Amino acid sequence: MGELFGHLTFGADGWGDEIAAGLWLTVRLALVTLPFGLVIGFFIALAKNSEEPLLRTAANVYTTIFRGLPELLTLFIVYYGGQIALTQIVSFFYDGYVEVSGFVAGVIALGVVFSAFASEVFLGALRGIGPGQYEAGYALGLTRVKTLRLIIIPQLIRLALPGLSNLWMVLMKDTSLVSVIALDDLLRKTNIIVGVTKEPFFFYFIACMIYLTLSIISSIGITRINAWATRGEVNHP
Amino acid sequence: MTATTDATVVRPPAPKKGWTAARIGGAVWIALWMVIAFLAIRLAVTEYSTAFYLRYGPRILHGLLVTIQLVAISVTIGAVIAVPIALARGSRNPLIGALAYSYVYFFRGTPILAQTFLVYYGAGQFRETLEGLNLWWFFRDAFNCAVFTFALNTSAYQAEIYRGAIDSVPKGQTEAGEALGLSRWAIFKKIVAPQAMIIALRPLGNEIILMIKSSAIASIITVFDLMGETRLAFSRTYDFQVYLWAAVLYLSMVEILRRVWDRIEARLTRHMKRLGE
C-alpha cells in the first residue's frame, strides 16, 4: 500500500505532477465553460419568456435538442462536425485542413448543454418574479435595462441559485468526457498513468476522490454564495 | 365585484404589430434552424448510398436495442438497490445512516465515466480474486461492467428520489396508520408507498432520461450500444451523417419516454383530478 502511495509523489518518479496538471485542466475547463453557459442560458431564458411566439419556438427547439442529446454525442458532433464544417469553409479560400482545438470543442459542447439546462432554471426564476416588480421599476422611471439590472437580476440570482448549483456539479463531472477527444484532463491523465503503472483500481479511485473533493469544495462555496444571496431574507424558524 | 364599464376593463395588450426586434430575432433564429435541418437532409440525400444503409443500418438498430437493454436492466436493478438505501438514509442508527449517505455521496459526486473505468479496468486487476470467487465470467464482459456501474450509479440517484418522496408524505398519514393499529410494514406498503410513488414519478422519469443519455459512455469501454456502433461506422466511413442519425434516435428515445411518462402520470393521478378538469 505504501508503495502505491509512493506513486503520488511529485517529480520524476512520481505521478503527482501529472495528476495535478490534469486537475488544472479540468478546473480550467469547468471555469471557462461556466460564464459561457450562464450567459447563453440567460438569453435563451429571456427568449423563452418573450411574448414573441417565433422567438419562443426557436428557443424551445434549442432546449429540446441539447437537453435530449447525450453529452458525449454533442461533444463528438461539435468536435468532428466543427472540423468538417470549418474545413469546408476554409476550402473556399485555400486547400487545407483545419484542426479544432479539443479545449474549444469541449467548452462549446459543455457550454451548450449547460446553457440548455440553465435556461430552464432561469425561466423558472423569471416566472417567480411577479409583474409588480417590473411595474415598480417603470413607475420609478427606470429604463428596461436598468429595471432588469437593478431589480430583476438580484432577485433572479437568489431564485436560480439552487438550480444552478446542481448544474455546476453536473458540469464538473461532465468535463471528464473530454478525455475521449484526447484532451489531457484529470481522467485522461489517469488513463495514461494506468497504462504505465498497471494499477487501474488505485488510480481511478484517486481520480474519483479528487472529483469528490472538487464537489465538496464547491458545496462549501455555494453555501457561502447562498448565504450572501439570501442575506436580505428573514430567517423563519 | 361590481359591474365595470367597458372603459375600465383591463384587457391583455394587443400583440404588437410590425417587425419588433424580438420578431426579427425569432425569425432569423427559426431560419437558422431551417438551414441546419436543410443541410442535414441534403447531406443524407447527396451522400445517399444503399451499401452504407445495408451495411450499417442493421448494426445501428442493433446498437439501439443494446442501449435500451442497458438502460432497462440498470434502472430496474438500480430501483431494487435504491429502496433499502433510501430506508437506510432515514435510519435511526447513525452508522447505517452515515454508510448510506457516503454511498450516495460517492456515486453522485464522481463522474460516471470514472466509475465505469474503475469497475471495468479495476476488475481486470483483481482477475485472480474474481476467478476464485467465480465472478470473473461476469466482469469479463464490458456490457456486464457497464450494467453493474450504471445500476449502482442510478441506485444512488434513485435512493435520493425515494427518500425525498417518502419524507414528503405528511407525518399524520403514518400516525393515522399507527392509530389504526397497523404494523410498520403495513403502514409503509399501504399508506406511505402509494403516496410517495406519485411524488417520485416525475423525478424518476427524469432520471431514466439522464440514464439513456449517460449510457452513451458505455461505448468507451467497447460496448457496442447505439453510440458504439455509431462511432465504429464513423471511424470506418468518415461519413458524418451517422452522428446525425444517432442524434435523431437518441432524441426520439427521450421524447417517446417523456410522452409515455406523461401518460403514466395522468393515469396514476386520475383520482386527484377534479371533474371537468
Side-chain angles (χ1 to χ4, degrees), chain B residues 109-146:
Chain B
T110 56
I112 191 168
L113 184 58
Q115 292 163 15
T116 311
F117 283 162
L118 186 69
V119 169
Y120 182 62
Y121 295 114
Q125 190 182 350
F126 298 114
R127 181 173 174 170
E128 266 113 58
T129 324
L130 286 170
E131 271 173 343
L133 291 167
N134 212 359
L135 284 171
W136 176 243
W137 61 270
F138 182 84
F139 287 99
R140 200 177 51 191
D141 187 18
F143 180 84
N144 291 341
C145 285

mmCIF file of all heavy atoms in Angstrom, chain B residues 109-146:
data_model
loop_
_atom_site.group_PDB
_atom_site.id
_atom_site.type_symbol
_atom_site.label_atom_id
_atom_site.label_comp_id
_atom_site.label_asym_id
_atom_site.label_seq_id
_atom_site.Cartn_x
_atom_site.Cartn_y
_atom_site.Cartn_z
ATOM 1 N N GLY B 109 -21.221 12.219 -6.564
ATOM 2 C CA GLY B 109 -20.187 13.244 -6.619
ATOM 3 C C GLY B 109 -19.057 12.954 -7.593
ATOM 4 O O GLY B 109 -18.192 13.797 -7.788
ATOM 5 N N THR B 110 -19.034 11.761 -8.196
ATOM 6 C CA THR B 110 -17.940 11.441 -9.121
ATOM 7 C C THR B 110 -18.512 11.173 -10.516
ATOM 8 O O THR B 110 -19.655 10.748 -10.640
ATOM 9 C CB THR B 110 -17.161 10.202 -8.647
ATOM 10 O OG1 THR B 110 -18.083 9.119 -8.502
ATOM 11 C CG2 THR B 110 -16.496 10.451 -7.309
ATOM 12 N N PRO B 111 -17.715 11.433 -11.559
ATOM 13 C CA PRO B 111 -18.218 11.236 -12.919
ATOM 14 C C PRO B 111 -18.512 9.756 -13.183
ATOM 15 O O PRO B 111 -17.747 8.882 -12.758
ATOM 16 C CB PRO B 111 -17.069 11.700 -13.809
ATOM 17 C CG PRO B 111 -16.142 12.437 -12.932
ATOM 18 C CD PRO B 111 -16.337 11.917 -11.551
ATOM 19 N N ILE B 112 -19.590 9.500 -13.887
ATOM 20 C CA ILE B 112 -19.970 8.115 -14.184
ATOM 21 C C ILE B 112 -18.923 7.459 -15.074
ATOM 22 O O ILE B 112 -18.697 6.254 -15.007
ATOM 23 C CB ILE B 112 -21.388 8.064 -14.811
ATOM 24 C CG1 ILE B 112 -21.900 6.628 -14.878
ATOM 25 C CG2 ILE B 112 -21.444 8.741 -16.142
ATOM 26 C CD1 ILE B 112 -23.366 6.511 -15.195
ATOM 27 N N LEU B 113 -18.224 8.276 -15.870
ATOM 28 C CA LEU B 113 -17.165 7.725 -16.724
ATOM 29 C C LEU B 113 -16.019 7.179 -15.869
ATOM 30 O O LEU B 113 -15.502 6.084 -16.113
ATOM 31 C CB LEU B 113 -16.651 8.812 -17.673
ATOM 32 C CG LEU B 113 -15.602 8.395 -18.697
ATOM 33 C CD1 LEU B 113 -16.123 7.278 -19.578
ATOM 34 C CD2 LEU B 113 -15.197 9.570 -19.572
ATOM 35 N N ALA B 114 -15.641 7.937 -14.819
ATOM 36 C CA ALA B 114 -14.579 7.473 -13.921
ATOM 37 C C ALA B 114 -15.024 6.217 -13.178
ATOM 38 O O ALA B 114 -14.238 5.277 -12.996
ATOM 39 C CB ALA B 114 -14.216 8.576 -12.935
ATOM 40 N N GLN B 115 -16.294 6.172 -12.792
ATOM 41 C CA GLN B 115 -16.809 4.974 -12.108
ATOM 42 C C GLN B 115 -16.745 3.766 -13.030
ATOM 43 O O GLN B 115 -16.376 2.659 -12.608
ATOM 44 C CB GLN B 115 -18.265 5.195 -11.685
ATOM 45 C CG GLN B 115 -18.437 6.226 -10.589
ATOM 46 C CD GLN B 115 -19.865 6.713 -10.485
ATOM 47 O OE1 GLN B 115 -20.790 6.101 -11.024
ATOM 48 N NE2 GLN B 115 -20.054 7.828 -9.804
ATOM 49 N N THR B 116 -17.103 3.992 -14.300
ATOM 50 C CA THR B 116 -17.080 2.884 -15.263
ATOM 51 C C THR B 116 -15.664 2.356 -15.446
ATOM 52 O O THR B 116 -15.446 1.139 -15.482
ATOM 53 C CB THR B 116 -17.663 3.359 -16.610
ATOM 54 O OG1 THR B 116 -18.893 4.018 -16.370
ATOM 55 C CG2 THR B 116 -17.885 2.204 -17.549
ATOM 56 N N PHE B 117 -14.698 3.276 -15.561
ATOM 57 C CA PHE B 117 -13.296 2.854 -15.690
ATOM 58 C C PHE B 117 -12.858 2.086 -14.455
ATOM 59 O O PHE B 117 -12.156 1.078 -14.546
ATOM 60 C CB PHE B 117 -12.387 4.077 -15.881
ATOM 61 C CG PHE B 117 -12.432 4.659 -17.271
ATOM 62 C CD1 PHE B 117 -11.976 5.946 -17.504
ATOM 63 C CD2 PHE B 117 -12.908 3.917 -18.332
ATOM 64 C CE1 PHE B 117 -12.005 6.486 -18.782
ATOM 65 C CE2 PHE B 117 -12.953 4.446 -19.611
ATOM 66 C CZ PHE B 117 -12.501 5.742 -19.826
ATOM 67 N N LEU B 118 -13.270 2.599 -13.283
ATOM 68 C CA LEU B 118 -12.894 1.957 -12.021
ATOM 69 C C LEU B 118 -13.357 0.507 -12.015
ATOM 70 O O LEU B 118 -12.593 -0.399 -11.666
ATOM 71 C CB LEU B 118 -13.527 2.729 -10.857
ATOM 72 C CG LEU B 118 -13.148 2.303 -9.448
ATOM 73 C CD1 LEU B 118 -11.707 2.642 -9.176
ATOM 74 C CD2 LEU B 118 -14.031 2.997 -8.415
ATOM 75 N N VAL B 119 -14.592 0.264 -12.451
ATOM 76 C CA VAL B 119 -15.131 -1.098 -12.429
ATOM 77 C C VAL B 119 -14.499 -1.936 -13.538
ATOM 78 O O VAL B 119 -14.000 -3.035 -13.297
ATOM 79 C CB VAL B 119 -16.668 -1.075 -12.581
ATOM 80 C CG1 VAL B 119 -17.201 -2.479 -12.826
ATOM 81 C CG2 VAL B 119 -17.302 -0.455 -11.354
ATOM 82 N N TYR B 120 -14.477 -1.389 -14.762
ATOM 83 C CA TYR B 120 -14.067 -2.199 -15.911
ATOM 84 C C TYR B 120 -12.573 -2.540 -15.856
ATOM 85 O O TYR B 120 -12.192 -3.704 -15.934
ATOM 86 C CB TYR B 120 -14.395 -1.448 -17.195
ATOM 87 C CG TYR B 120 -14.068 -2.204 -18.458
ATOM 88 C CD1 TYR B 120 -14.691 -3.404 -18.757
ATOM 89 C CD2 TYR B 120 -13.143 -1.687 -19.361
ATOM 90 C CE1 TYR B 120 -14.402 -4.090 -19.910
ATOM 91 C CE2 TYR B 120 -12.854 -2.368 -20.542
ATOM 92 C CZ TYR B 120 -13.480 -3.565 -20.799
ATOM 93 O OH TYR B 120 -13.181 -4.240 -21.951
ATOM 94 N N TYR B 121 -11.728 -1.522 -15.695
ATOM 95 C CA TYR B 121 -10.292 -1.795 -15.644
ATOM 96 C C TYR B 121 -9.882 -2.321 -14.276
ATOM 97 O O TYR B 121 -8.974 -3.144 -14.166
ATOM 98 C CB TYR B 121 -9.504 -0.541 -16.012
ATOM 99 C CG TYR B 121 -9.743 -0.118 -17.440
ATOM 100 C CD1 TYR B 121 -10.388 1.067 -17.739
ATOM 101 C CD2 TYR B 121 -9.346 -0.931 -18.501
ATOM 102 C CE1 TYR B 121 -10.635 1.455 -19.048
ATOM 103 C CE2 TYR B 121 -9.590 -0.558 -19.810
ATOM 104 C CZ TYR B 121 -10.233 0.634 -20.081
ATOM 105 O OH TYR B 121 -10.482 0.994 -21.369
ATOM 106 N N GLY B 122 -10.562 -1.820 -13.231
ATOM 107 C CA GLY B 122 -10.260 -2.296 -11.881
ATOM 108 C C GLY B 122 -10.527 -3.787 -11.737
ATOM 109 O O GLY B 122 -9.753 -4.509 -11.107
ATOM 110 N N ALA B 123 -11.607 -4.261 -12.351
ATOM 111 C CA ALA B 123 -11.943 -5.691 -12.260
ATOM 112 C C ALA B 123 -10.839 -6.539 -12.885
ATOM 113 O O ALA B 123 -10.483 -7.601 -12.361
ATOM 114 C CB ALA B 123 -13.276 -5.965 -12.937
ATOM 115 N N GLY B 124 -10.270 -6.048 -13.987
ATOM 116 C CA GLY B 124 -9.205 -6.789 -14.650
ATOM 117 C C GLY B 124 -8.006 -7.005 -13.743
ATOM 118 O O GLY B 124 -7.324 -8.030 -13.805
ATOM 119 N N GLN B 125 -7.778 -6.025 -12.891
ATOM 120 C CA GLN B 125 -6.635 -6.104 -11.981
ATOM 121 C C GLN B 125 -6.850 -7.185 -10.918
ATOM 122 O O GLN B 125 -5.893 -7.797 -10.447
ATOM 123 C CB GLN B 125 -6.465 -4.738 -11.317
ATOM 124 C CG GLN B 125 -5.189 -4.580 -10.536
ATOM 125 C CD GLN B 125 -5.133 -3.209 -9.877
ATOM 126 O OE1 GLN B 125 -5.948 -2.329 -10.155
ATOM 127 N NE2 GLN B 125 -4.174 -3.029 -9.013
ATOM 128 N N PHE B 126 -8.107 -7.402 -10.541
ATOM 129 C CA PHE B 126 -8.405 -8.392 -9.498
ATOM 130 C C PHE B 126 -8.890 -9.700 -10.117
ATOM 131 O O PHE B 126 -9.704 -10.409 -9.536
ATOM 132 C CB PHE B 126 -9.454 -7.844 -8.530
ATOM 133 C CG PHE B 126 -8.973 -6.623 -7.807
ATOM 134 C CD1 PHE B 126 -9.576 -5.388 -8.013
ATOM 135 C CD2 PHE B 126 -7.894 -6.715 -6.936
ATOM 136 C CE1 PHE B 126 -9.113 -4.268 -7.365
ATOM 137 C CE2 PHE B 126 -7.435 -5.595 -6.286
ATOM 138 C CZ PHE B 126 -8.037 -4.370 -6.494
ATOM 139 N N ARG B 127 -8.377 -10.012 -11.300
ATOM 140 C CA ARG B 127 -8.869 -11.157 -12.026
ATOM 141 C C ARG B 127 -8.793 -12.437 -11.203
ATOM 142 O O ARG B 127 -9.761 -13.195 -11.127
ATOM 143 C CB ARG B 127 -8.052 -11.313 -13.310
ATOM 144 C CG ARG B 127 -8.536 -12.471 -14.125
ATOM 145 C CD ARG B 127 -7.855 -12.531 -15.456
ATOM 146 N NE ARG B 127 -8.287 -13.757 -16.109
ATOM 147 C CZ ARG B 127 -8.031 -14.027 -17.365
ATOM 148 N NH1 ARG B 127 -7.364 -13.190 -18.092
ATOM 149 N NH2 ARG B 127 -8.451 -15.158 -17.890
ATOM 150 N N GLU B 128 -7.611 -12.674 -10.582
ATOM 151 C CA GLU B 128 -7.433 -13.935 -9.835
ATOM 152 C C GLU B 128 -8.453 -14.056 -8.699
ATOM 153 O O GLU B 128 -9.058 -15.099 -8.511
ATOM 154 C CB GLU B 128 -6.022 -14.028 -9.273
ATOM 155 C CG GLU B 128 -5.079 -14.775 -10.193
ATOM 156 C CD GLU B 128 -3.999 -13.873 -10.771
ATOM 157 O OE1 GLU B 128 -3.266 -13.280 -9.964
ATOM 158 O OE2 GLU B 128 -3.907 -13.739 -12.001
ATOM 159 N N THR B 129 -8.608 -12.958 -7.956
ATOM 160 C CA THR B 129 -9.568 -12.975 -6.847
ATOM 161 C C THR B 129 -10.966 -13.266 -7.370
ATOM 162 O O THR B 129 -11.698 -14.081 -6.808
ATOM 163 C CB THR B 129 -9.586 -11.596 -6.142
ATOM 164 O OG1 THR B 129 -8.262 -11.085 -6.160
ATOM 165 C CG2 THR B 129 -10.108 -11.719 -4.744
ATOM 166 N N LEU B 130 -11.309 -12.572 -8.471
ATOM 167 C CA LEU B 130 -12.653 -12.739 -9.018
ATOM 168 C C LEU B 130 -12.847 -14.145 -9.554
ATOM 169 O O LEU B 130 -13.924 -14.730 -9.430
ATOM 170 C CB LEU B 130 -12.898 -11.713 -10.133
ATOM 171 C CG LEU B 130 -13.113 -10.275 -9.655
ATOM 172 C CD1 LEU B 130 -13.112 -9.313 -10.827
ATOM 173 C CD2 LEU B 130 -14.425 -10.160 -8.896
ATOM 174 N N GLU B 131 -11.769 -14.722 -10.143
ATOM 175 C CA GLU B 131 -11.874 -16.102 -10.620
ATOM 176 C C GLU B 131 -12.097 -17.045 -9.448
ATOM 177 O O GLU B 131 -12.875 -17.992 -9.524
ATOM 178 C CB GLU B 131 -10.601 -16.497 -11.393
ATOM 179 C CG GLU B 131 -10.707 -16.157 -12.855
ATOM 180 C CD GLU B 131 -9.409 -16.370 -13.623
ATOM 181 O OE1 GLU B 131 -8.351 -16.478 -12.967
ATOM 182 O OE2 GLU B 131 -9.467 -16.418 -14.855
ATOM 183 N N GLY B 132 -11.388 -16.748 -8.325
ATOM 184 C CA GLY B 132 -11.552 -17.558 -7.117
ATOM 185 C C GLY B 132 -12.981 -17.509 -6.612
ATOM 186 O O GLY B 132 -13.529 -18.503 -6.145
ATOM 187 N N LEU B 133 -13.587 -16.322 -6.741
ATOM 188 C CA LEU B 133 -14.964 -16.155 -6.267
ATOM 189 C C LEU B 133 -15.976 -16.599 -7.322
ATOM 190 O O LEU B 133 -17.184 -16.507 -7.112
ATOM 191 C CB LEU B 133 -15.234 -14.685 -5.921
ATOM 192 C CG LEU B 133 -14.502 -14.143 -4.705
ATOM 193 C CD1 LEU B 133 -14.596 -12.625 -4.666
ATOM 194 C CD2 LEU B 133 -15.094 -14.730 -3.432
ATOM 195 N N ASN B 134 -15.443 -17.068 -8.474
ATOM 196 C CA ASN B 134 -16.292 -17.495 -9.570
ATOM 197 C C ASN B 134 -17.144 -16.338 -10.115
ATOM 198 O O ASN B 134 -18.300 -16.510 -10.480
ATOM 199 C CB ASN B 134 -17.200 -18.649 -9.126
ATOM 200 C CG ASN B 134 -17.468 -19.582 -10.299
ATOM 201 O OD1 ASN B 134 -16.994 -19.330 -11.415
ATOM 202 N ND2 ASN B 134 -18.196 -20.649 -10.051
ATOM 203 N N LEU B 135 -16.570 -15.145 -10.124
ATOM 204 C CA LEU B 135 -17.305 -13.977 -10.616
ATOM 205 C C LEU B 135 -16.678 -13.410 -11.889
ATOM 206 O O LEU B 135 -17.186 -12.458 -12.464
ATOM 207 C CB LEU B 135 -17.326 -12.871 -9.556
ATOM 208 C CG LEU B 135 -18.291 -13.082 -8.405
ATOM 209 C CD1 LEU B 135 -18.064 -12.037 -7.336
ATOM 210 C CD2 LEU B 135 -19.733 -13.032 -8.898
ATOM 211 N N TRP B 136 -15.555 -13.989 -12.315
ATOM 212 C CA TRP B 136 -14.821 -13.406 -13.428
ATOM 213 C C TRP B 136 -15.638 -13.412 -14.717
ATOM 214 O O TRP B 136 -15.588 -12.482 -15.506
ATOM 215 C CB TRP B 136 -13.488 -14.139 -13.616
ATOM 216 C CG TRP B 136 -12.729 -13.643 -14.806
ATOM 217 C CD1 TRP B 136 -12.395 -14.343 -15.909
ATOM 218 C CD2 TRP B 136 -12.228 -12.316 -15.003
ATOM 219 N NE1 TRP B 136 -11.717 -13.547 -16.792
ATOM 220 C CE2 TRP B 136 -11.605 -12.300 -16.261
ATOM 221 C CE3 TRP B 136 -12.252 -11.151 -14.245
ATOM 222 C CZ2 TRP B 136 -11.002 -11.159 -16.777
ATOM 223 C CZ3 TRP B 136 -11.662 -10.013 -14.770
ATOM 224 C CH2 TRP B 136 -11.038 -10.036 -16.015
ATOM 225 N N TRP B 137 -16.438 -14.493 -14.914
ATOM 226 C CA TRP B 137 -17.259 -14.566 -16.129
ATOM 227 C C TRP B 137 -18.130 -13.325 -16.257
ATOM 228 O O TRP B 137 -18.428 -12.871 -17.340
ATOM 229 C CB TRP B 137 -18.133 -15.824 -16.126
ATOM 230 C CG TRP B 137 -19.091 -15.855 -14.968
ATOM 231 C CD1 TRP B 137 -18.860 -16.391 -13.739
ATOM 232 C CD2 TRP B 137 -20.407 -15.298 -14.913
ATOM 233 N NE1 TRP B 137 -19.939 -16.193 -12.930
ATOM 234 C CE2 TRP B 137 -20.913 -15.525 -13.617
ATOM 235 C CE3 TRP B 137 -21.231 -14.625 -15.829
ATOM 236 C CZ2 TRP B 137 -22.179 -15.107 -13.217
ATOM 237 C CZ3 TRP B 137 -22.486 -14.211 -15.424
ATOM 238 C CH2 TRP B 137 -22.957 -14.448 -14.129
ATOM 239 N N PHE B 138 -18.540 -12.754 -15.110
ATOM 240 C CA PHE B 138 -19.418 -11.581 -15.140
ATOM 241 C C PHE B 138 -18.637 -10.337 -15.534
ATOM 242 O O PHE B 138 -19.019 -9.600 -16.435
ATOM 243 C CB PHE B 138 -20.071 -11.390 -13.766
ATOM 244 C CG PHE B 138 -21.026 -10.232 -13.709
ATOM 245 C CD1 PHE B 138 -22.337 -10.369 -14.118
ATOM 246 C CD2 PHE B 138 -20.602 -8.986 -13.258
ATOM 247 C CE1 PHE B 138 -23.217 -9.305 -14.081
ATOM 248 C CE2 PHE B 138 -21.479 -7.912 -13.217
ATOM 249 C CZ PHE B 138 -22.788 -8.076 -13.631
ATOM 250 N N PHE B 139 -17.507 -10.100 -14.863
ATOM 251 C CA PHE B 139 -16.765 -8.855 -15.081
ATOM 252 C C PHE B 139 -15.913 -8.887 -16.343
ATOM 253 O O PHE B 139 -15.341 -7.883 -16.727
ATOM 254 C CB PHE B 139 -15.894 -8.548 -13.857
ATOM 255 C CG PHE B 139 -16.708 -8.073 -12.689
ATOM 256 C CD1 PHE B 139 -17.062 -8.942 -11.672
ATOM 257 C CD2 PHE B 139 -17.147 -6.766 -12.622
ATOM 258 C CE1 PHE B 139 -17.826 -8.508 -10.604
ATOM 259 C CE2 PHE B 139 -17.912 -6.324 -11.567
ATOM 260 C CZ PHE B 139 -18.255 -7.200 -10.547
ATOM 261 N N ARG B 140 -15.801 -10.070 -16.979
ATOM 262 C CA ARG B 140 -15.007 -10.178 -18.194
ATOM 263 C C ARG B 140 -15.692 -9.420 -19.337
ATOM 264 O O ARG B 140 -15.051 -8.936 -20.250
ATOM 265 C CB ARG B 140 -14.886 -11.655 -18.552
ATOM 266 C CG ARG B 140 -13.755 -11.996 -19.468
ATOM 267 C CD ARG B 140 -13.712 -13.476 -19.676
ATOM 268 N NE ARG B 140 -15.027 -13.982 -20.072
ATOM 269 C CZ ARG B 140 -15.355 -15.260 -20.134
ATOM 270 N NH1 ARG B 140 -14.470 -16.185 -19.792
ATOM 271 N NH2 ARG B 140 -16.554 -15.651 -20.498
ATOM 272 N N ASP B 141 -17.024 -9.344 -19.248
ATOM 273 C CA ASP B 141 -17.805 -8.755 -20.331
ATOM 274 C C ASP B 141 -18.042 -7.272 -20.077
ATOM 275 O O ASP B 141 -18.511 -6.885 -19.009
ATOM 276 C CB ASP B 141 -19.137 -9.512 -20.415
ATOM 277 C CG ASP B 141 -19.945 -9.073 -21.621
ATOM 278 O OD1 ASP B 141 -19.334 -8.472 -22.517
ATOM 279 O OD2 ASP B 141 -21.158 -9.329 -21.653
ATOM 280 N N ALA B 142 -17.710 -6.445 -21.076
ATOM 281 C CA ALA B 142 -17.852 -4.989 -20.894
ATOM 282 C C ALA B 142 -19.305 -4.601 -20.649
ATOM 283 O O ALA B 142 -19.584 -3.710 -19.856
ATOM 284 C CB ALA B 142 -17.315 -4.260 -22.125
ATOM 285 N N PHE B 143 -20.236 -5.305 -21.308
ATOM 286 C CA PHE B 143 -21.646 -4.979 -21.127
ATOM 287 C C PHE B 143 -22.048 -5.153 -19.658
ATOM 288 O O PHE B 143 -22.711 -4.290 -19.076
ATOM 289 C CB PHE B 143 -22.512 -5.882 -22.019
ATOM 290 C CG PHE B 143 -23.991 -5.616 -21.907
ATOM 291 C CD1 PHE B 143 -24.583 -4.607 -22.650
ATOM 292 C CD2 PHE B 143 -24.791 -6.371 -21.056
ATOM 293 C CE1 PHE B 143 -25.951 -4.354 -22.538
ATOM 294 C CE2 PHE B 143 -26.150 -6.117 -20.943
ATOM 295 C CZ PHE B 143 -26.720 -5.113 -21.685
ATOM 296 N N ASN B 144 -21.592 -6.268 -19.051
ATOM 297 C CA ASN B 144 -21.926 -6.509 -17.647
ATOM 298 C C ASN B 144 -21.329 -5.433 -16.749
ATOM 299 O O ASN B 144 -21.962 -4.987 -15.797
ATOM 300 C CB ASN B 144 -21.416 -7.877 -17.201
ATOM 301 C CG ASN B 144 -22.188 -8.994 -17.863
ATOM 302 O OD1 ASN B 144 -23.290 -8.776 -18.363
ATOM 303 N ND2 ASN B 144 -21.609 -10.180 -17.883
ATOM 304 N N CYS B 145 -20.080 -5.044 -17.048
ATOM 305 C CA CYS B 145 -19.444 -3.997 -16.235
ATOM 306 C C CYS B 145 -20.235 -2.702 -16.332
ATOM 307 O O CYS B 145 -20.424 -2.003 -15.327
ATOM 308 C CB CYS B 145 -18.013 -3.751 -16.697
ATOM 309 S SG CYS B 145 -16.911 -5.051 -16.185
ATOM 310 N N ALA B 146 -20.713 -2.390 -17.553
ATOM 311 C CA ALA B 146 -21.493 -1.166 -17.729
ATOM 312 C C ALA B 146 -22.785 -1.256 -16.924
ATOM 313 O O ALA B 146 -23.153 -0.328 -16.205
ATOM 314 C CB ALA B 146 -21.793 -0.938 -19.209
#
